[in-house]
Amino acid sequence: MGLEFLNSNKAAEMAEILKNVHHNFVPKTEVCNQTEVLQKVFLDGDQLTEERARNAQLANTLADTPYERLSGLEKAFADWHLGKNLLMVSIQSQHVNNII
């Protein structure tokens, strides 16, 4: 994976990040001189990243083709902090039960 030296807090740069990810990681094919998405790819991040990605994708809704509309990216909210906290609570409760 390549590094993107762009600021996802800026709308124009977030749009550029999405275009680069879409171009480099979404499977595509050429049909009648038009690029088509073969399979969608999940793009996940924290809540703010997901919101910015959604807004950048919405900015392209008037593009001519689904590929230009960045339709190959399926946005997802990955709250790994919640999963980590749930795991810690589970481990702590098991530890307490083993002591008793």
Side-chain angles (χ1 to χ4, degrees):
M1 289 193 195
L3 297 175
E4 296 286 340
F5 295 101
L6 299 169
N7 187 351
S8 64
N9 294 324
K10 296 179 179 178
E13 292 186 21
M14 184 61 178
E16 189 65 30
I17 291 169
L18 285 184
K19 286 178 186 177
N20 292 340
V21 169
H22 195 263
H23 176 73
N24 293 323
F25 299 106
V26 173
K28 57 190 173 286
T29 187
E30 292 288 327
V31 177
C32 298
N33 296 327
Q34 196 171 34
T35 306
E36 292 188 10
V37 174
L38 291 175
Q39 182 178 354
K40 290 187 175 193
V41 174
F42 281 105
L43 176 73
D44 63 353
D46 62 3
Q47 189 173 8
L48 189 54
T49 302
E50 188 270 336
E51 178 186 0
R52 289 184 178 135
R54 184 175 0 101
N55 289 337
Q57 201 172 32
L58 284 172
N60 289 324
T61 56
L62 297 178
D64 292 334
T65 66
Y67 185 79
E68 291 172 349
R69 289 190 290 269
L70 306 176
S71 66
L73 297 174
E74 188 69 39
K75 297 157 310 299
F77 171 54
D79 189 3
W80 68 271
H81 295 283
L82 178 63
K84 177 186 163 262
N85 291 340
L86 182 61
L87 181 62
M88 291 302 294
V89 168
S90 174
I91 290 170
Q92 288 173 354
S93 68
Q94 289 177 357
H95 180 69
V96 169
N97 289 337
N98 289 337
I99 293 175
I100 297 177

